[in-house]
Amino acid sequence: MSFVERLVCSRCGTKYEPGENPVMCRKRDLGRLDVVYDYDGISNRFDRRRLESRKSRDIWRYEELLPVSSGFAVRLGEGGTPLVHARRLGEKLGMKRLHLKDDTRNPTASFKDRAMAVGSAKAIELKKKDVATASSGNAAASLAAYSAGGAMSCHAFVPPEASAGKIAQLLLYGASITRCAQVKKGEDATVKAMLDAVDRFGYYPCPSFGPFNPYQVEGPKTIVYELFEQGALEGLDAILVPTGSGCLLTGIWKGLRDLKELDLIGDYPGIVAVQPAGNQALVRAIRKRATFDRIVPESYPASVAGGLLDPYPWDGDAAMTGVRETRGGGVSVSDRDILRSVRELAAYEGIFAEPSGAAGLAGLEKSLSEGTIGRDDAVVVLVTGSGLKEPDRIIEMFEGKNVGGAKKPNRNRP
Ligand SMILES: Cc1ncc(COP(=O)(O)O)c(C=O)c1O
Ligand SMILES: [Zn+2]
């Protein structure tokens, strides 16, 4: 049973019936088709007691708040990840109430499985045979896995710096890989190539950017529902989110809003966007209190955090609303800070993260030093991708080469 009432374009307000199964606004205005749910219908099925009695541990546990039926889903065990009380790291930072949401523990080792499980289920419902994505690697690797399970061909458009671990996943899952040019003057060649292929060959677009697929945005909301069930939302002050395109952050915001609509939570925790210093168009806009339409893409993004290099925050509109409405914020972190966080997660808590996945911790440490988060605050840091994706980066850290600044400079930089 579906509780989707309609989809509404975030730019022009055009409404779509769920049965139209829209993917992009017909005006092609880069609006995201936000999914609107029938909360009245959901509310008498979705409360703590009823949730507790459910058996499934994956994201489909929360099916009422997802835009596609689990009957179409390839189920690899996405979601249901642990919330770790970071005692040793907390002690080091002087914090008693620090938790890490360990989303490295997903089937393809990043949080993107939550998004791609939903996006691919929609493609299967629509009987698509070919799906396309533009991605630095994690979303593509994930879509490739779900495509394999759903007997679809996955066409991945990736940047030249995509890591070996992510490329290996793509190869083994049987995706066709097109290596595109590096970002130049703010233009993302992977997105352009994906859209060309969608237009020319009729592929179903499924990148983890809202304007090009509205269904997958809903998957990462399940992080919030899990935090609710794990008891982490009560009295929570802040949630730190590694951010590239802003799609994950948009999901976190939508999840919080869903729970508020259902009367299941009180105050929102502040959502804090964390971006690398070498690619921070969204954080800059948040800090300047600029409006979304004033955001200009980062011309030559460069960072050790390869998953956070989208030059343009495609979902920045909703992300900025989420940050504002929750009285959160934005911080940028250096590559040195990010690599230190990779080490700290492993050394203090046994969590093996890739740089993009560890950036949230770097954001926490920066926020503590800026005084925007207090040491007595209750905080959740999202850890979003596994270090096994980028082993060479980690070996490099220990061999002493490039420690603290291992970024490959953007080759297009003039
Ligand atoms: C490990 C990891 N964390 C965080 C993100 C950021 O997600 P978003 O682009 O939705 O902001 C990505 C994106 O690729 C990622 O790979
Ligand atoms: Zn529109």
Side-chain angles (χ1 to χ4, degrees):
M1 178 174 185
S2 171
F3 291 94
V4 175
E5 277 187 341
R6 60 188 172 277
L7 294 93
V8 183
C9 177
S10 61
R11 286 264 167 120
C12 69
T14 301
K15 294 189 176 63
Y16 296 83
E17 291 299 318
E20 292 178 70
N21 295 309
V23 183
M24 292 185 230
C25 181
R26 65 174 78 91
K27 294 189 185 156
R28 285 291 187 113
D29 55 5
L30 293 181
R32 182 188 46 262
L33 304 181
D34 285 314
V35 183
V36 179
Y37 293 87
D38 165 20
Y39 291 112
D40 288 340
I42 294 171
S43 66
N44 55 11
R45 304 165 52 120
F46 202 97
D47 59 35
R48 197 180 280 280
R49 194 173 51 79
R50 285 190 178 80
L51 286 174
E52 271 168 14
S53 69
R54 295 184 181 182
K55 290 209 172 61
S56 61
R57 291 276 150 213
D58 60 11
I59 64 167
W60 302 99
R61 181 178 176 83
Y62 311 106
E63 190 164 352
E64 292 94 335
L65 288 164
L66 294 175
V68 53
S69 159
S70 62
F72 297 108
V74 171
R75 296 172 78 157
L76 301 176
E78 51 288 336
T81 59
L83 181 71
V84 177
H85 184 190
R87 286 195 180 79
R88 288 197 66 223
L89 197 50
E91 204 172 300
K92 177 182 183 300
L93 299 176
M95 300 182 77
K96 289 213 167 62
R97 298 188 294 161
L98 171 60
H99 286 83
L100 308 167
K101 180 69 170 158
D102 184 6
D103 251 32
T104 68
R105 305 266 289 268
N106 272 299
T108 76
S110 86
F111 84 93
K112 297 280 185 185
D113 291 331
R114 298 177 186 271
M116 293 303 122
V118 176
S120 64
K122 192 71 191 177
I124 291 166
E125 179 190 342
L126 300 177
K127 300 191 166 53
K128 300 291 178 187
K129 286 281 158 248
D130 292 271
V131 295
T133 184
S135 154
S136 62
N138 277 336
S142 177
L143 182 63
Y146 288 93
S147 299
M152 298 183 291
S153 299
C154 175
H155 305 270
F157 297 88
V158 302
E161 69 271 16
S163 76
K166 295 169 190 177
I167 295 290
Q169 286 183 297
L170 282 169
L171 289 167
L172 196 55
Y173 292 134
S176 77
I177 306 171
T178 305
R179 287 177 190 262
C180 302
Q182 208 163 21
V183 173
K184 189 173 176 184
K185 294 186 183 160
E187 218 170 87
D188 189 336
T190 64
V191 173
K192 188 169 178 305
M194 176 198 68
L195 290 175
D196 284 350
V198 165
D199 285 340
R200 284 178 61 196
F201 308 120
Y203 297 162
Y204 179 80
C206 196
S208 68
F209 307 136
F212 309 120
N213 187 303
Y215 304 103
Q216 55 77 31
V217 185
E218 304 290 295
K221 297 193 307 185
T222 55
I223 292 174
V224 175
Y225 311 149
E226 288 174 20
L227 290 176
F228 168 72
E229 285 204 86
Q230 288 165 328
L233 291 185
E234 218 163 296
L236 185 65
D237 295 295
I239 175 161
L240 288 106
V241 186
T243 298
S245 68
C247 193
L248 168 59
L249 200 154
T250 294
I252 298 299
W253 165 232
K254 282 178 182 247
L256 287 170
R257 229 182 25 196
D258 285 344
L259 295 186
K260 185 81 143 186
E261 289 284 349
L262 294 168
D263 240 352
L264 293 173
I265 56 168
D267 291 340
Y268 291 130
I271 307 177
V272 181
V274 183
Q275 290 200 291
N279 187 45
Q280 49 161 323
L282 183 64
V283 161
R284 217 178 276 126
I286 290 169
R287 290 176 82 94
K288 281 190 187 156
R289 297 180 198 278
T291 51
F292 175 62
D293 53 323
R294 304 297 291 272
I295 292 183
V296 283
E298 191 84 45
S299 299
Y300 298 97
S303 169
V304 70
L308 310 180
L309 289 179
D310 309 281
Y312 185 68
W314 298 104
D315 290 291
D317 54 339
M320 289 176 81
T321 305
V323 167
R324 194 178 56 243
E325 297 282 314
T326 64
R327 294 196 225 147
V331 280
S332 68
V333 289
S334 68
D335 280 356
R336 181 180 293 273
D337 295 340
I338 292 172
L339 291 177
R340 192 184 58 234
S341 298
V342 170
R343 279 179 192 254
E344 287 175 346
L345 284 171
Y348 288 88
E349 300 297 341
I351 294 180
F352 198 63
E354 65 175 310
S356 307
L361 176 60
L364 170 62
E365 297 190 32
K366 182 84 176 280
S367 303
L368 289 171
S369 71
E370 288 184 344
T372 47
I373 291 179
R375 297 189 194 268
D376 292 332
D377 286 352
V379 171
V380 168
V381 172
L382 302 186
V383 183
T384 49
S386 167
L388 290 172
K389 304 269 193 173
E390 305 198 6
D392 20 347
R393 179 75 73 185
I394 289 160
I395 293 167
E396 212 173 70
M397 277 166 55
F398 283 85
E399 285 182 344
K401 281 182 283 174
N402 291 325
V403 173
K407 71 186 169 210
K408 287 191 192 116
N410 186 311
R411 282 190 288 273
N412 290 321
R413 192 182 282 275

